[in-house]
Structure formats: structure tokens, C-alpha cells
Amino acid sequence: MNKKFDQLRVAIVADWLTNYGGAESVVGSFMRIFPKADIFTTLFVPEEMKAISQKKVHTSFLQKFPKFLRKKHQIFLPLLPKAIESLDLSSYDLVLSSSSFVAKGCLTNPETLHICYCHTPTRYLWDDSQKYVEEFPVPKGLKWAMRFLPKMLSRLRIWDHLAAERPDDYIANSEFIAERIEKYYQKKSTVIEPPVDIKRFSQHRIVKKKNYYLAVGRLTPYKRFDLLIEAFRRLPQKKLKIAGKGPDFHRLLSIAKSAPNIEFLGFVPDEKLPELMICARAFLFPQIEDAGISLLEALASGTPVIALKKGGAKTLLRDGENGIFFEYQTPEDIIVAISRCESMKFDAKSIRKSAEKYDRNAFEKRIKQHCEEKWNEFSENSRIISTTPRGDQK
């Protein structure tokens, strides 16, 4: 155990790589820190992962399923623990996992240091389990199978708690998640906020704001875009643009029916997102999010954020300076916050500056430094144990 840090054989492990989002952005940063690292995951859809598609990705037995099924990792829920445990990581010195569910449960040797970047303790197994059961997407003909879902989640919860013991070290993506890691897994963690490509947004000049509010994200129930739609139905003179796609699209579209001031933009390419954010009057963030990369991107654009005062937003925003908080997930609270926003004057340059410390380069520097420090501690402890006489190891 005397290898130098730059000589380590590194493996990067992800839950799944089926669509690009915040967790996948973290994996991309890990790849830049360790360009020679091998990539492991349970499910991989190369077409959805352009930044990773050129790398060799080691997958589990679930990869044998057709692509249209691999895109829906939720249907493999009971098989994901077995899939992650099937990955062979026996020859690596350092395993760096990006985990919101199973990646932390990968199996490693005693000589391997496993550092887990935890996006959240598995949301649908712990604090959001009841809501997950209610909103689980199943075809009408299979509704009878829902009676087995609570029992399955109970079994997965036991596995999840045991799997949480496997990493040697935890990194949390926010203070909010650090608290949840300690509550559900009884583990301490170091907080390193997720990476944002600040330059992609800040290189555009600040322009005069246009008369629309913006929400961006995958259209899923927990994002609570339905609250925004209801609020803007009551504010017909104000415009709302929603960018993103997802399983909740048709439900949201039906709620927004007869509201011409609400526009669904669908998927917005990366190159067009900065201008969309820069021109927005404010960015809307009604969900409880672990950290909130889209929130940080809005700040990097010089756009104030109207956010629920919970989750990662609490540590990323300063009320009245780079955003406005509302207390409850209700249309009424959102309407009051919008009214307050329009009565205030925000400084776009100051807002941009508040996002600088979350720049991708700063994130990658901190992650590399953290990994090196933990490796030095790990190898030194291993050296002491290996040189201690057996009789003194009690």
C-alpha cells in the first residue's frame, strides 16, 4: 500500500447512465480529474450520454435488455442492487462513486479506497417513499402489481442501509444532504457542492430582461411544476416558459390548458439555454432539491431565483440579494414571491459573482485534493496495520 496518488488505478461508478443530468455532470468531472479511469454502471444508453459515449463503459447484466427498456431504469428497481454488486472492481486502488441509489453499494476489496459522492440518500426509500408509491408510473393493466411495491421498497430499504456501510468516505453535494446522510446512514460527510460550467453562462453579456419567468428541469411530479402552472393561470398577464421533457409532460399540459401565457419549450439544447436564462425576469425553483445545478446556472446567468426555502436552495441563495424565498409549496406563496420580485431591483453582476465559487474547475480541484488526502490517510493506516505485530492488534 505504498502507491503514489498519481499511480492509482481508478474506477468511476455510476448508478446508471441513461440520460444526462446533474449526477452525470459529476461523472463527467470525475472523468476529467482521472482521464485514465475505467467507467462502471448498471445501465448505459450511449446516445443520451454524448460526453461519455466515446469512453469504454463496463456494464452489468441489465445491459442485455433492449434499449427502449434500458432508458427506464425504474422498471429494474429490484434488480439494481444485484446488478451493481456484479461489477468486478477487484483490481482498483480507488473507487469513486456518484450515487443517489446503488453505486455506493458496489463491492470492493479491503485494499481499495471507496469514496462516495452522494447526491442523496435514496429518496424513494426514505423520506419520499409514500409519494413514490402513489406516483409510480405503471400501465393501467398492471395496476394490480402496485400492492407488491411497498413490500419491495421495504426490502430495498434494508439493502440500502447495509450498502451505505461500504464506502470508506462520503462527500455530500450540500449541507442539506450531509444532514440526511447522517440521519439515514449515520455517516459524517464532507460538503462539496456540484459543478457548474460557469463560463458557459457568464461569457454571454448581460442584457435587458424580457417579460417572462423560466423553469427548467426534467418534467417529473416531484419538481412541482404543477404549482407554477396554477400560479400563472391566476396571473394571465405574466408569461411562464417551461423547458424540459419527462413523464409528467401530458399531465402538466392538461393543467395548463386554456392558459396561453404558459409555454412548453420541450428539450432546449445546451447552446440555447444560456440566452434563455439570461433574458428571464427570474428563474423559478419550486421543488425540494438536493443541491440544484439549474439554480446555479441561473445565478451564473445573472438571473435572480425564486425558490422554496428548503433543501439545497437554502444554502445557495441569499434572500433579497440573488433571489427570493417562499415558505410553502402553494400557488399563493409563489404569487406573493413573484410580486415581491417585481418590486425589487437585482444587480445581475452581483448575482453572477455569487455563483463563481461553484465553478466546475473549482469543484474538480476540491475533489482531487479530497481524494488525495483520503488516499494518504488510507494508505498510512493500512501500513500501520500491516506492520503491527499480531499480538498488538487487539
Side-chain angles (χ1 to χ4, degrees), residues 45-207:
V45 181
E47 303 91 303
E48 300 289 333
M49 304 297 301
K50 294 180 180 179
I52 298 174
S53 60
Q54 295 181 357
K55 288 277 290 184
K56 168 67 176 174
V57 176
H58 302 270
T59 56
S60 73
F61 60 86
L62 296 180
Q63 193 68 12
K64 296 178 182 178
F65 283 87
K67 182 173 65 177
F68 77 94
L69 289 177
R70 282 188 274 124
K71 286 186 175 183
K72 302 178 184 297
H73 66 265
Q74 296 93 337
I75 67 174
F76 296 107
L77 205 61
L79 298 176
L80 286 170
K82 186 175 180 180
I84 203 72
E85 291 177 347
S86 72
L87 302 176
D88 183 7
L89 301 167
S90 59
S91 62
Y92 295 92
D93 304 299
L94 171 64
V95 168
L96 187 57
S97 62
S98 168
S99 183
S100 60
F101 182 17
V102 292
K104 65 180 175 292
C106 63
L107 301 176
T108 60
N109 286 336
E111 298 80 15
T112 302
L113 172 63
H114 178 184
I115 298 176
C116 174
Y117 188 91
C118 185
H119 303 281
T120 178
T122 313
R123 186 184 293 113
Y124 39 81
L125 296 183
W126 300 103
D127 49 348
D128 279 352
S129 61
Q130 295 301 322
K131 187 181 293 185
Y132 183 77
V133 170
E134 293 170 6
E135 298 173 349
F136 191 79
V138 295
K140 289 183 179 178
L142 294 176
K143 287 291 184 181
W144 59 269
M146 289 295 291
R147 59 183 170 178
F148 299 109
L149 187 57
K151 190 173 183 179
M152 181 189 72
L153 293 179
S154 181
R155 289 177 178 175
L156 287 174
R157 198 175 294 118
I158 294 170
W159 179 89
D160 192 67
H161 201 275
L162 291 172
E165 292 295 318
R166 293 174 185 171
D168 301 288
D169 178 68
Y170 275 94
I171 301 172
N173 68 359
S174 65
E175 293 289 349
F176 172 64
I177 292 303
E179 292 172 1
R180 293 180 73 237
I181 290 171
E182 187 165 8
K183 177 178 181 178
Y184 294 119
Y185 298 156
Q186 294 80 53
K187 299 289 183 181
K188 297 289 185 181
S189 57
T190 302
V191 175
I192 301 180
E193 289 84 358
V196 177
D197 189 356
I198 299 295
K199 286 185 180 179
R200 184 160 72 94
F201 296 87
S202 61
Q203 68 184 356
H204 295 262
R205 66 185 182 88
I206 294 173
V207 297

Side-chain angles (χ1 to χ4, degrees), residues 198 300 349 351-360 362:
I198 299 295
K349 290 183 179 179
I351 291 173
R352 275 187 169 177
K353 193 170 183 61
S354 72
E356 288 178 357
K357 65 178 179 178
Y358 305 108
D359 181 60
R360 186 177 68 190

Side-chain angles (χ1 to χ4, degrees), residues 124-353:
Y124 39 81
L125 296 183
W126 300 103
D127 49 348
D128 279 352
S129 61
Q130 295 301 322
K131 187 181 293 185
Y132 183 77
V133 170
E134 293 170 6
E135 298 173 349
F136 191 79
V138 295
K140 289 183 179 178
L142 294 176
K143 287 291 184 181
W144 59 269
M146 289 295 291
R147 59 183 170 178
F148 299 109
L149 187 57
K151 190 173 183 179
M152 181 189 72
L153 293 179
S154 181
R155 289 177 178 175
L156 287 174
R157 198 175 294 118
I158 294 170
W159 179 89
D160 192 67
H161 201 275
L162 291 172
E165 292 295 318
R166 293 174 185 171
D168 301 288
D169 178 68
Y170 275 94
I171 301 172
N173 68 359
S174 65
E175 293 289 349
F176 172 64
I177 292 303
E179 292 172 1
R180 293 180 73 237
I181 290 171
E182 187 165 8
K183 177 178 181 178
Y184 294 119
Y185 298 156
Q186 294 80 53
K187 299 289 183 181
K188 297 289 185 181
S189 57
T190 302
V191 175
I192 301 180
E193 289 84 358
V196 177
D197 189 356
I198 299 295
K199 286 185 180 179
R200 184 160 72 94
F201 296 87
S202 61
Q203 68 184 356
H204 295 262
R205 66 185 182 88
I206 294 173
V207 297
K208 186 177 180 181
K209 297 294 184 181
K210 295 182 180 180
N211 189 32
Y212 68 84
Y213 290 80
L214 178 66
V216 176
R218 183 165 166 76
L219 304 185
T220 56
Y222 94 89
K223 297 282 188 181
R224 298 313 311 267
F225 287 175
D226 56 329
L227 296 177
L228 301 181
I229 291 171
E230 184 56 40
F232 278 80
R233 285 183 61 183
R234 304 180 195 179
L235 299 169
Q237 74 282 15
K238 304 188 189 304
K239 293 180 181 179
L240 168 64
K241 294 179 183 285
I242 299 175
K245 59 180 184 178
D248 209 26
F249 171 73
H250 293 292
R251 185 180 74 92
L252 295 175
L253 194 63
S254 67
I255 297 173
K257 190 165 54 179
S258 73
N261 59 322
I262 299 172
E263 181 182 4
F264 289 86
L265 303 178
F267 173 76
V268 176
D270 285 349
E271 62 272 16
K272 293 186 178 181
L273 189 58
E275 182 181 358
L276 190 65
M277 284 193 166
I278 290 167
C279 294
R281 183 73 180 264
F283 185 80
L284 298 166
F285 201 75
Q287 67 267 37
I288 302 174
E289 201 70 81
D290 311 324
I293 289 180
S294 61
L295 183 156
L296 289 171
E297 290 174 342
L299 296 181
S301 304
T303 297
V305 177
I306 298 175
L308 179 70
K309 194 177 181 180
K310 289 184 179 180
K314 284 179 66 175
T315 57
L316 299 176
L317 294 182
R318 295 189 298 275
D319 191 88
E321 294 183 30
N322 59 0
I324 289 172
F325 284 124
F326 58 93
E327 294 287 340
Y328 302 103
Q329 285 180 312
T330 65
E332 292 78 12
D333 267 36
I334 293 170
I335 290 169
V336 170
I338 290 170
S339 176
R340 186 178 164 216
C341 177
E342 296 197 342
S343 70
M344 299 177 68
K345 190 172 183 179
F346 290 93
D347 180 52
K349 290 183 179 179
S350 176
I351 291 173
R352 275 187 169 177
K353 193 170 183 61

